[in-house]
Amino acid sequence: FFQKTLNAVQSWFTLFGWSKGQNPISIPYSLRSDACIVQLTVAQEKNFKRRVDKDKGFYEMLLHLNGQSIPGIAASQSLSTDPVERMFQIHWQHSELLSFLKRKGAYLPHIMPEFLLAPEDYELWSEVSTGLRRGSMRSSGKLSGRRIFVLDKRMFETMSKRAWTDVLLQMYKVFVLPRVSSRMVPDPSSLESLQNMPGIKSEPLCSNVYSRYERTILIWLNKNYEKNRKIVWKDSERGGIPPMRWIVNFDQDLLDGLVLAAQMAGYCPYLIPTHFIRMYTNPRTHEQFLHNALILVKALHTINMDLDIKV
């Protein structure tokens, strides 16, 4: 499940994260050490310079999605020649990144700045931090400050991959999802059938699971499904018209493909006779769920919206 999530995040940011076309990213490898596609070279003045392609740097991607850069972090700046000092500079930048995202509404309490470092920098950070901590304990007689997690190489790679994936997911949440319009125009044709269905509130504090924008999407899914289910499957070959349902999440309620098919049919009705009419409207077996998923993927391929989707 995590690998599928990572692949989806990787695909979206590769396709839509940049201001000038696609730019392939690999989580976490092309995102570590502060920026995507970064080269550290020794200049004539013996300072490490960070050279970032203005169209491909990680912070340019953040600027493109957010509309503003992180205060104090420029697209090009000098890094110290001293490995320890350079590591702490990069660690500070990651700390500023996390603080900036949290101020925007991101939920990242489990991500430490050191988890975003490159492996060699993390190893150096571990050595320096544990050395400083032992010195602090000897001088004060007690452990002070936040807890230090020292991971072996294999565990660090796992944690780094998870950390960068969560950072990108939260960037999507705070920079992309808010573009969803909260203005829902009532559709007279669907109001009668929806009046007996429990509503989903879009107020900011009515859920501790989904954001206001995610709940707006759930409302949209409910309205479109109820409006289109009798149209899409009125001549169904496999089960008749599917029953009314209350869509309250993005995993279980979308598993059978019917809700997503109803959304697509609302915008591409020509897919109904060629694809959706052959879906099982009351699937019960794994084979029937797979059958529906394959039809949905084929429909996405037909309208060139597959986004590298695989079953």
Side-chain angles (χ1 to χ4, degrees):
F1 173 79
F2 174 71
Q3 187 61 46
K4 289 180 179 179
T5 301
L6 184 149
N7 292 341
V9 172
Q10 210 163 248
S11 295
W12 192 93
F13 279 88
T14 291
L15 293 170
F16 306 114
W18 311 92
S19 60
K20 296 183 179 180
Q22 302 179 15
N23 178 43
I25 68 169
S26 176
I27 302 173
Y29 311 108
S30 61
L31 300 174
R32 290 192 298 210
S33 293
D34 172 51
C36 181
I37 311 182
V38 170
Q39 294 180 345
L40 294 178
T41 61
V42 182
Q44 291 182 350
E45 64 270 30
K46 296 183 180 180
N47 282 334
F48 282 85
K49 295 288 187 180
R50 189 177 74 219
R51 294 183 178 179
V52 183
D53 185 325
K54 289 186 177 180
D55 296 330
K56 296 182 178 179
F58 172 78
Y59 287 98
E60 284 296 324
M61 178 178 72
L62 188 145
L63 176 62
H64 168 64
L65 295 175
N66 175 47
Q68 67 180 98
S69 57
I70 300 176
I73 298 181
S76 179
Q77 58 188 358
S78 298
L79 294 173
S80 173
T81 58
D82 180 71
V84 175
E85 184 64 29
R86 185 173 69 251
M87 176 272 295
F88 276 122
Q89 282 183 268
I90 297 174
H91 186 277
W92 172 81
Q93 289 181 168
H94 291 328
S95 180
E96 290 297 302
L97 167 66
L98 294 175
S99 297
F100 178 77
L101 293 176
K102 289 174 184 177
R103 289 195 299 270
K104 293 293 184 178
Y107 187 74
L108 294 165
H110 58 299
I111 304 300
M112 305 296 184
E114 52 267 25
F115 296 158
L116 304 178
L117 293 171
E120 58 274 14
D121 286 329
Y122 177 78
E123 185 176 352
L124 186 59
W125 177 89
S126 300
E127 294 175 0
V128 173
S129 298
T130 52
L132 291 174
R133 180 57 57 90
R134 284 194 294 268
S136 174
M137 290 178 65
R138 285 194 295 267
S139 62
S140 64
K142 62 181 180 180
L143 192 65
S144 61
R146 69 177 179 84
R147 185 177 179 183
I148 294 177
F149 295 92
V150 179
L151 310 174
D152 60 36
K153 290 184 179 180
R154 181 177 179 182
M155 184 59 69
F156 171 74
E157 284 296 335
T158 300
M159 180 61 75
S160 179
K161 185 179 294 187
R162 178 60 183 266
W164 275 109
T165 300
D166 287 351
V167 164
L168 292 181
L169 281 170
Q170 290 299 308
M171 285 175 58
Y172 183 88
K173 178 184 125 179
V174 300
F175 297 146
V176 180
L177 273 183
R179 300 174 190 172
V180 175
S181 174
S182 60
R183 294 189 299 175
M184 304 295 293
V185 181
D187 185 348
S189 66
S190 63
L191 287 179
E192 183 178 354
S193 58
L194 284 173
Q195 64 183 359
N196 296 323
M197 181 182 295
I200 296 176
K201 296 181 179 180
S202 60
E203 287 77 6
L205 300 179
C206 71
S207 172
N208 62 352
V209 177
Y210 291 129
S211 69
R212 174 162 54 98
Y213 312 106
E214 290 168 310
R215 294 195 300 278
T216 299
I217 294 174
L218 286 174
I219 294 171
W220 174 72
L221 289 173
N222 275 286
K223 289 190 173 183
N224 273 342
Y225 174 75
E226 184 56 32
K227 176 183 176 181
N228 295 327
R229 66 184 177 90
K230 295 179 181 179
I231 299 174
V232 178
W233 292 287
K234 64 178 181 180
D235 299 317
S236 170
E237 301 175 358
R238 293 182 169 90
I241 296 174
M244 176 186 290
R245 67 170 69 178
W246 189 28
I247 305 155
V248 296
N249 57 63
F250 294 100
D251 44 17
Q252 293 295 321
D253 291 341
L254 305 185
L255 277 180
D256 60 12
L258 297 176
V259 175
L260 294 177
Q263 314 309 309
M264 292 178 61
Y267 298 94
C268 306
Y270 53 85
L271 293 174
I272 296 175
T274 59
H275 293 77
F276 302 144
I277 197 173
R278 296 182 287 111
M279 298 178 73
Y280 288 97
T281 56
N282 189 26
R284 297 183 180 276
T285 66
H286 292 298
E287 291 75 15
Q288 290 175 346
F289 276 87
L290 176 61
H291 172 88
N292 283 1
L294 288 171
I295 289 179
L296 195 60
V297 170
K298 288 180 180 178
L300 288 168
H301 278 284
T302 300
I303 60 176
N304 296 318
M305 286 189 62
D306 55 286
L307 301 181
D308 196 34
I309 293 175
K310 299 180 177 65
V311 178

